[in-house]
Amino acid sequence: MNIIVCIKQVPDTTEIRLDPVKGTMIREGVPSIMNPDDKGGLEMALQLKDLYGAHVTVLTMGPHQAEAILREAFAMGADKAILLTDKKFAGADTLATSHTLAGALRSLDYDLIITGRQAIDGDTAQVGPQIAEHLDLPQVTYVENLQYDGDKQITVRKSIEDGYQLLEVEIPCVLTVLSSSNEARYMSVRGIMEAFEKEIEIWNSDRITINADKLGLNGSPTRVAKSFTKGLKPASQLYEVSPAEAVDIIINKLKEKHIVN
Amino acid sequence: MDFSLTKQQELFLQMIRKFAEKEIKPVAAEIDELERYPLENVKKMAQLGLMGIPFPFEYKGAGGNNRMYVMAVEELSRVCATTGVILSSHTSLCGAPIYESGTLEQKNKYLPKIASGEWIGAFGLTEPNAGTDASAQQTMAVKDGDNYILNGSKIFITNAGYAHVYIIFAMTDKSLGTRGISAFIVENGFPGFSVGKKEKKMGIRGSSTGELIFENCIVPKENLLGQEGKGFGIAMKTLDGGRIGIAAQALGIAQGALDETVKYVKERKQFGKPISQFQNTQFQLADLETKIQAARLLVYSAAYKKDTNQNYTAESAMAKLFAAETAMEATTKAVQLHGGYGYTREYPVERMMRDAKITEIYEGTSEVQRMVIASKLLK
């Protein structure tokens, strides 16, 4: 079984501060990490490797610094890593990104493609589904659990707002995975030592089966009209009262907001 | 010397820091309170290869170096000094002497078990009457056919009772003084070997510290480590390496205390403002940060010398001396800056202060380190 996991290097948004004047993100000094949902997807793939001896390839598009997350993936247990890097890829929105990734995937053997649900820097959740559309593959999004029959069929648990769905899907397919689906393994010390001896394949636009007009800024219909920082919500009010009084306060507040009559 | 992190070390630091925060820190107070050996965490460390960081792949080690090993001990000790010393004793005091002084057979037999963490290792040199004066060994080893028969006892042995294998020093010829001391690899389970009383300690209470008893203990002659009469040299060389580990432990404790204090002084308000805004607080924090960074450079320098096969005896003594005294100062000031809360077990600095003290005592007291450093100067 060949699994390809699409991963992305993102700024660690838990460490991000905003410029109070410009309202933009201060990127300086913010560590870059493997996107958490993608790491959940990689862990899912590595569990299939543990159980069924699957071959796991990690694929990312980004600048050369993105090698760091590919090394991390090696240290966790990935077998092969590909970095898609080219000036022509720069400025890509989700559509151009998915075209680029799908272009690379067309040159690879796969039974299963896993992506994270969404990246913490953009939160769009679009790239995984778009890859499935470009490659004309079935897709299941928001996957939190996976069972494989060892042949052609996988049963996945898809998280929905108020519960979950159990779905059966035949491979090849695309799954987008939640970070909460598992506890990603630690890198092992030996894995870290060996990660730097393995080769990362560097692919530029020539290696990808896709028209140039679909790449980078040219292939990106999205235009950011304006970016702004959300206003602060008013401070919450604390009441230190008995439970009975608390109930009255809550009921009155709900009435004020016309949530109950 | 360039001590900036390589990309490999950055990844390693990312892993060990997350592991320490998620797996070790949550149980640190509990294992201290209950004096409980954290065996479950030692097993997790083994799974990740942390029990054999500086040993090569061929012996089931992680293929890393001493720089990475001290980074690990520092990061673990930053949240739990007990875990730091378990790793340090195992690696520096048991794995290292077998790797450095063992025969090929001994290495093949013992190192894979130690480096993989399947077995825990320990070291027995100290006796009731042989502490700083380690040459006054009373444990005897008498050759008897294919075996040595050991009689005597060791005290204050880290990992006692949990270790599967011990490096033990005993007199094979009392008339020769230090030249009559030999080293042995003793397995738990050898006939005549037993573990005695467990100490109740001020700090590092989750670690096991106990007595080893040898009553006509039969040790096969192939378990003699190095040559007969060369044990004292092996002990001193082992302690040179061990001191880098303890220096890293002390460094971690100091850093942990500073981390907790920086967090606390920003939250704690007195006279209408956070106490971090008082110059007294700021100056104390600045002094601690400076000393901790100096200690770190000494630790890295000693590890670098060991990694590059240079003599590191004085460097490891300086690293341990300075890091241990920095740990004691940092934790004492951390408690002071926490005020009354710092004296309670609600905050970890109380435990850290108790943990710090031992770093000025074991694997050579601060006085011994000064002797080592001075002897190099006056040679």
Side-chain angles (χ1 to χ4, degrees):
Chain A
M1 186 185 211
N2 285 316
I3 306 174
I4 300 175
V5 187
C6 300
I7 62 177
K8 183 183 183 188
Q9 188 180 45
V10 292
D12 186 350
T13 50
T14 58
E15 307 241 349
I16 277 183
R17 287 168 300 129
L18 293 174
D19 183 318
V21 181
K22 294 182 203 154
T24 52
M25 202 165 77
I26 304 170
R27 276 184 179 263
E28 200 173 280
V30 178
S32 294
I33 58 168
M34 190 189 304
N35 180 50
D37 281 341
D38 303 352
K39 198 182 256 193
L42 176 58
E43 175 59 32
M44 198 172 266
L46 293 172
Q47 286 178 12
L48 288 169
K49 179 180 173 179
D50 295 342
L51 289 170
Y52 300 99
H55 183 275
V56 178
T57 300
V58 282
L59 173 68
T60 193
M61 182 184 95
H64 278 280
Q65 299 90 282
E67 273 191 33
I69 58 164
L70 297 175
R71 299 279 175 210
E72 184 180 353
F74 272 145
M76 286 171 70
D79 301 294
K80 182 177 167 177
I82 301 168
L83 171 65
L84 308 178
T85 194
D86 196 314
K87 280 185 181 156
K88 291 179 189 160
F89 300 156
D93 66 3
T94 62
L95 186 65
T97 302
S98 64
H99 272 306
T100 310
L101 290 168
L105 286 159
R106 284 191 187 96
S107 312
L108 294 162
D109 285 330
Y110 54 78
D111 299 295
L112 184 59
I113 297 168
I114 295 179
T115 74
R117 165 194 49 176
Q118 65 193 46
I120 53 173
D121 56 351
D123 283 328
T124 67
Q126 292 168 356
V127 172
Q130 287 173 0
I131 289 171
E133 290 302 316
H134 299 321
L135 299 177
D136 198 21
L137 290 171
Q139 59 172 297
V140 183
T141 52
Y142 294 76
V143 172
E144 53 182 19
N145 187 274
L146 176 154
Q147 303 290 326
Y148 175 50
D149 72 353
D151 183 29
K152 283 278 164 208
Q153 188 159 287
I154 53 179
T155 307
V156 293
R157 198 166 79 193
K158 173 189 167 81
S159 173
I160 52 176
E161 204 164 332
D162 51 357
Y164 62 85
Q165 296 171 334
L166 279 179
L167 301 168
E168 287 179 345
V169 57
E170 286 210 344
I171 57 173
C173 63
V174 176
L175 305 178
T176 83
V177 172
L178 307 179
S179 64
S180 57
S181 64
N182 53 47
E183 188 76 34
R185 68 195 59 195
Y186 293 97
M187 295 175 269
S188 71
V189 189
R190 182 171 183 156
I192 292 168
M193 301 312 295
E194 291 181 331
F196 288 82
E197 280 159 25
K198 292 183 179 169
E199 192 201 346
I200 290 174
E201 290 186 26
I202 311 280
W203 289 16
N204 61 20
S205 58
D206 297 340
R207 285 289 307 264
I208 292 172
T209 326
I210 190 83
N211 288 334
D213 61 0
K214 289 196 158 50
L215 298 176
L217 200 58
N218 292 338
S220 299
T222 311
R223 292 288 173 267
V224 177
K226 183 186 169 196
S227 63
F228 61 95
T229 310
K230 276 204 302 191
L232 292 175
K233 287 183 179 172
S236 53
Q237 206 172 343
L238 280 179
Y239 296 90
E240 290 193 22
V241 294
S242 70
E245 287 171 274
V247 169
D248 288 337
I249 293 169
I250 292 168
I251 296 283
N252 286 333
K253 289 279 172 199
L254 291 173
K255 280 182 179 165
E256 272 175 31
K257 294 190 181 294
H258 306 289
I259 295 168
V260 295
N261 293 318
Chain B
M1 283 172 278
D2 177 10
F3 291 137
S4 56
L5 296 175
T6 62
K7 292 213 176 307
Q8 202 162 33
Q9 288 163 350
E10 276 176 19
L11 215 52
F12 178 72
L13 187 62
Q14 183 188 325
M15 179 275 276
I16 187 73
R17 199 165 270 175
K18 186 174 169 199
F19 177 78
E21 284 291 322
K22 284 189 76 171
E23 313 290 336
I24 306 296
K25 189 176 182 181
V27 297
E30 179 225 314
I31 63 171
D32 171 71
E33 189 72 33
L34 302 178
E35 298 189 305
R36 182 176 75 74
Y37 192 87
L39 201 56
E40 74 286 3
N41 281 343
V42 175
K43 286 182 179 160
K44 287 180 196 167
M45 284 157 58
Q47 277 176 357
L48 296 180
L50 292 169
M51 299 296 274
I53 296 170
F55 306 118
F57 294 155
E58 61 185 298
Y59 296 117
K60 292 197 178 175
N65 58 16
N66 286 285
R67 168 66 183 274
M68 291 168 73
Y69 162 62
V70 295
M71 285 165 64
V73 175
E74 179 191 343
E75 290 301 322
L76 294 170
S77 304
R78 188 174 179 171
V79 296
C80 176
T82 280
T83 309
V85 74
I86 291 172
L87 177 63
S88 180
S89 300
H90 166 88
T91 309
S92 289
L93 300 187
C94 187
I98 294 175
Y99 180 57
E100 289 165 7
S101 305
T103 62
L104 193 58
E105 289 75 21
Q106 289 169 340
K107 287 195 242 188
N108 285 334
K109 181 172 180 185
Y110 291 105
L111 263 185
K113 288 192 168 79
I114 294 168
S116 67
E118 181 188 342
W119 279 15
I120 296 171
F123 173 92
L125 176 69
T126 301
E127 298 184 1
N129 294 312
T132 291
D133 180 10
S135 62
Q137 295 283 306
Q138 288 181 341
T139 298
M140 294 295 297
V142 178
K143 189 121 182 238
D144 179 21
D146 287 340
N147 300 308
Y148 285 90
I149 308 299
L150 269 62
N151 277 289
S153 67
K154 299 288 170 182
I155 56 165
F156 302 151
I157 306 306
T158 304
N159 289 339
Y162 290 90
H164 303 77
V165 60
Y166 298 81
I167 305 301
I168 298 298
F169 298 86
M171 281 284 184
T172 39
D173 188 342
K174 202 148 193 179
S175 67
L176 295 176
T178 55
R179 289 186 188 150
I181 298 173
S182 301
F184 299 90
I185 304 170
V186 178
E187 290 179 31
N188 181 32
F190 276 2
F193 171 81
S194 61
V195 177
K197 139 174 123 62
K198 186 181 166 189
E199 300 294 341
K200 290 185 79 69
K201 307 188 294 295
M202 173 195 276
I204 55 164
R205 283 156 51 97
S207 72
S208 162
T209 306
E211 184 185 15
L212 308 179
I213 300 161
F214 305 89
E215 285 176 309
N216 293 319
C217 174
I218 303 169
V219 179
K221 71 173 190 314
E222 57 269 25
N223 278 32
L224 174 72
L225 182 65
Q227 292 168 353
E228 207 174 275
K230 300 284 186 191
F232 194 72
I234 292 175
M236 293 304 111
K237 188 179 173 194
T238 302
L239 287 173
D240 282 346
R243 281 167 191 155
I244 307 179
I246 298 307
Q249 183 203 22
L251 169 63
I253 297 170
Q255 184 66 58
L258 181 61
D259 294 343
E260 292 295 333
T261 307
V262 166
K263 197 165 69 182
Y264 182 80
V265 298
K266 288 200 270 192
E267 289 164 4
R268 173 68 171 169
K269 285 187 182 157
Q270 290 287 276
F271 303 103
K273 57 183 176 183
I275 59 171
S276 59
Q277 291 181 17
F278 293 99
Q279 200 176 51
N280 174 57
T281 308
Q282 293 169 1
F283 281 10
Q284 294 203 49
L285 293 178
D287 286 350
L288 291 181
E289 170 75 357
T290 304
K291 286 184 182 175
I292 289 168
Q293 188 55 19
R296 184 171 288 114
L297 290 172
L298 281 172
V299 172
Y300 285 176
S301 163
Y304 172 79
K305 289 211 158 185
K306 185 164 171 34
D307 280 330
T308 49
N309 297 315
Q310 301 179 61
N311 186 301
Y312 59 91
T313 300
E315 279 73 16
S316 66
M318 285 189 271
K320 179 176 181 289
L321 171 65
F322 191 74
E325 294 192 344
T326 300
M328 205 59 237
E329 184 185 343
T331 54
T332 307
K333 286 190 169 161
V335 168
Q336 191 68 24
L337 285 166
H338 278 68
Y341 290 110
Y343 196 65
T344 71
R345 294 201 180 170
E346 270 183 59
Y347 288 86
V349 290
E350 177 268 347
R351 166 171 48 87
M352 291 169 169
M353 185 174 163
R354 286 185 287 107
D355 288 343
K357 185 62 204 171
I358 191 60
T359 65
E360 293 184 312
I361 298 172
Y362 62 12
E363 297 195 31
T365 59
S366 290
E367 292 73 16
V368 165
Q369 310 312 325
R370 289 186 166 91
M371 284 160 61
V372 171
I373 298 160
S375 76
K376 189 192 173 195
L377 279 178
L378 301 173
K379 195 155 60 173

